[in-house]
Amino acid sequence: MKGPGSNILTINTGSSSIKFSLYKTDDHPVLKGEISRITNPPCQIDIVSAHGSTTLLRKELNIRGFREAAAFIVEWLEEGGYGESIGAVGYRIVHGGPRYREHCPVTEELTEYLKEITHLAPEHLPQGVEVMEVVGGRLPYTFDVACFDTAFHRDMLEESKVYAIPFEFYGEGIMRYGFHGLSYEYITEELGASGEPLDRVIIAHLGHGVSMAAIRDGRCVDTTMGFTPAAGLVMSTRCGDMDPGVILYLLKEKGFSPDGLNTLLNHHSGLLGVSGRSDDVRELLEREGEDERAALALKLFCHSARRFIGSLSATLGGLSTLVFTAGIGENSAEIRERIVEGLEFLGIGLHMERNRANRRVISKDDSPVRILVLKTDEECMMARHTKRIIHREGR
Ligand code: ADP
């Protein structure tokens, strides 16, 4: 491998945060950190040692923007003596556009292309590229790998990818891409490693962003997010699927600008928009007894998830495994129970006590569908991809 060390740094740039982890050879990081509230200062940095046992740094930071945040991370690593241990960096890139559908080494050509397609993911790509440039510039000896959230969905059925608008738009790259791919890859590998059935699987990634993927024999055939992450299920602050007529009406009759619509549909909708109070499932669960809109928002959320389980099961021709993951999926027994209520006809038999106890397997022994709760780990997946590409490229 190029560079002085063999450790892998992963950099996960989100819409307002950068998460990073430093891996030795196995799947367990030496340290994990996050700079949060980058778009809403003061920023906060938190760095913990392996397994979160020791806090290495926790403070407010007087910095502005993603470039400064990325520079701070590299400086901290270098001052802490970790800099020279890093031989490779894996970057999470939300969108690879129509051209980059597989994880790959970072090149100048890729960086330039990503700059040209920032309009495909304006809330993630610009800072993703900025951070890649800053870290790459400060650690010039490392081997860099781009890990795309869209890559996992590249082999979807064509009828899942094409939108039913004039076909020339498909050629221009207006299609369903799908997101949360690193999370789906991690869960799929975990299922494979533990011998779970992989023939007809739905993974429900229920976090701040919410999506589902249908997997047949280990490959993604369909997913709920689309050209952008706003499509599909009702989310914390995103609307999910909606009649395009509503968007036209808001543009024409309500005087919304494109930017105003973006804010409305991506930041002020979903659980937050309907409840008018919170985008956090925990808070809504606490309030639903006395707050009708909190109750309605949760009903809508669960109804939307149930509909998509039905729809993706139809795509798969049945279901062998249903996995819940991410913040809500991993932690909220109440929401899991409400989502699968009435789905016994699909062979989904929830074991109430196992579900309440947050067990790994939460289906009844005689349930035709295995229901699992698995913790996702996108950073670990990035480290694995980086390692594989290092070997593939003979570095
Ligand atoms: P992100 O998509 O930002 O990574 P997470 O996967 O951390 O988000 O999920 C965040 C969501 O998880 C929050 O909306 C929160 O409501 C939900 N959540 C976390 N813990 C719980 C819990 N114990 N019960 C219900 N919801 C939870």
Side-chain angles (χ1 to χ4, degrees):
M1 189 198 299
K2 208 176 169 182
S6 59
N7 287 358
I8 294 173
L9 174 67
T10 59
I11 300 273
N12 180 352
T13 307
S15 50
S16 66
S17 68
I18 305 176
K19 292 181 189 154
F20 59 97
S21 300
L22 189 62
Y23 288 85
K24 285 200 171 181
T25 45
D26 63 7
D27 281 348
H28 302 291
V30 182
L31 61 85
K32 271 170 140 12
E34 178 173 8
I35 301 188
S36 53
R37 299 206 312 256
I38 297 174
T39 47
N40 183 25
C43 307
Q44 167 81 23
I45 184 155
D46 286 282
I47 307 178
V48 293
S49 66
H51 311 301
S53 49
T54 315
T55 298
L56 301 175
L57 183 67
R58 169 167 228 172
K59 64 172 188 173
E60 276 189 3
L61 283 184
N62 185 22
I63 54 167
R64 298 214 149 259
F66 283 87
R67 281 184 178 277
E68 287 187 24
F72 183 90
I73 292 168
V74 180
E75 275 161 30
W76 185 87
L77 288 168
E78 284 182 328
E79 278 166 21
Y82 299 104
E84 294 198 345
S85 75
I86 303 169
V89 187
Y91 296 93
R92 180 187 187 181
I93 300 292
V94 164
H95 211 312
R99 194 184 298 172
Y100 288 90
R101 301 306 302 258
E102 292 191 32
H103 313 299
C104 64
V106 175
T107 59
E108 244 172 68
E109 190 188 332
L110 167 69
T111 310
E112 287 314 307
Y113 177 72
L114 294 177
K115 286 180 186 168
E116 284 167 23
I117 59 156
T118 51
H119 57 276
L120 288 179
E123 314 229 347
H124 292 93
L125 264 188
Q127 60 269 39
V129 177
E130 261 180 32
V131 166
M132 204 163 75
E133 285 187 322
V134 170
V135 177
R138 287 175 174 249
L139 298 174
Y141 48 83
T142 57
F143 178 70
D144 297 341
V145 170
C147 303
F148 301 106
D149 263 308
T150 46
F152 184 63
H153 308 289
R154 66 182 169 267
D155 296 324
M156 281 194 306
L157 303 170
E158 192 153 52
E159 58 268 38
S160 304
K161 286 185 194 164
V162 177
Y163 286 125
I165 54 176
F167 192 67
E168 57 267 28
F169 291 110
Y170 183 53
E172 290 174 24
I174 300 181
M175 63 174 92
R176 184 187 305 282
Y177 288 94
F179 299 88
H180 286 144
L182 292 162
S183 171
Y184 291 133
E185 285 175 323
Y186 180 82
I187 297 292
T188 306
E189 289 197 359
E190 290 305 290
L191 290 173
S194 52
E196 295 288 348
L198 272 173
D199 52 335
R200 287 171 299 171
V201 182
I202 293 178
I203 303 175
H205 179 110
L206 314 179
H208 193 71
V210 178
S211 73
M212 290 185 188
I215 290 147
R216 184 182 291 138
D217 300 326
R219 301 180 86 132
C220 177
V221 292
D222 204 353
T223 194
T224 58
M225 284 181 169
F227 180 62
T228 75
L233 288 90
V234 171
M235 309 183 207
S236 300
T237 65
R238 297 188 193 125
C239 60
D241 279 2
M242 204 173 53
D243 177 359
V246 175
I247 296 168
L248 293 174
Y249 177 82
L250 293 172
L251 277 171
K252 279 167 66 180
E253 305 297 332
K254 291 286 190 178
F256 273 88
S257 65
D259 282 348
L261 259 189
N262 180 46
T263 305
L264 180 82
L265 302 177
N266 278 306
H267 301 288
H268 294 164
S269 294
L271 292 173
L272 176 64
V274 176
S275 71
R277 187 166 289 278
S278 172
D279 67 354
D280 194 302
V281 163
R282 283 165 294 196
E283 201 180 327
L284 295 174
L285 283 168
E286 275 165 26
R287 299 192 61 87
E288 67 178 341
E290 71 272 8
D291 183 336
E292 278 178 17
R293 278 175 54 194
L296 178 62
L298 290 173
K299 266 192 195 152
L300 203 62
F301 183 88
C302 296
H303 172 69
S304 146
R306 204 177 304 119
R307 279 177 75 185
F308 277 102
I309 291 174
S311 151
L312 295 177
S313 298
T315 301
L316 289 168
L319 194 59
S320 53
T321 314
L322 172 64
V323 182
F324 287 99
T325 192
I328 302 166
E330 290 165 23
N331 298 299
S332 183
E334 185 62 40
I335 296 294
R336 290 193 300 258
E337 186 181 326
R338 292 185 196 182
I339 288 175
V340 300
E341 200 185 325
L343 293 183
E344 293 80 7
F345 76 97
L346 280 176
I348 293 178
L350 186 71
H351 191 294
M352 296 298 176
E353 288 77 42
R354 288 176 189 164
N355 182 44
R356 294 271 151 193
N358 262 333
R359 296 263 292 274
R360 181 177 189 277
V361 180
I362 58 170
S363 41
K364 293 181 192 158
D365 291 337
D366 62 354
S367 167
V369 176
R370 297 267 291 168
I371 315 174
L372 303 169
V373 177
L374 297 179
K375 189 168 164 39
T376 195
D377 192 339
E378 288 155 323
E379 278 79 21
C380 172
M381 200 61 231
M382 290 156 67
R384 287 183 189 168
H385 283 312
T386 305
K387 228 179 292 173
R388 284 171 195 158
I389 291 177
I390 288 168
H391 287 137
R392 192 187 73 197
E393 302 280 312
R395 307 299 289 231

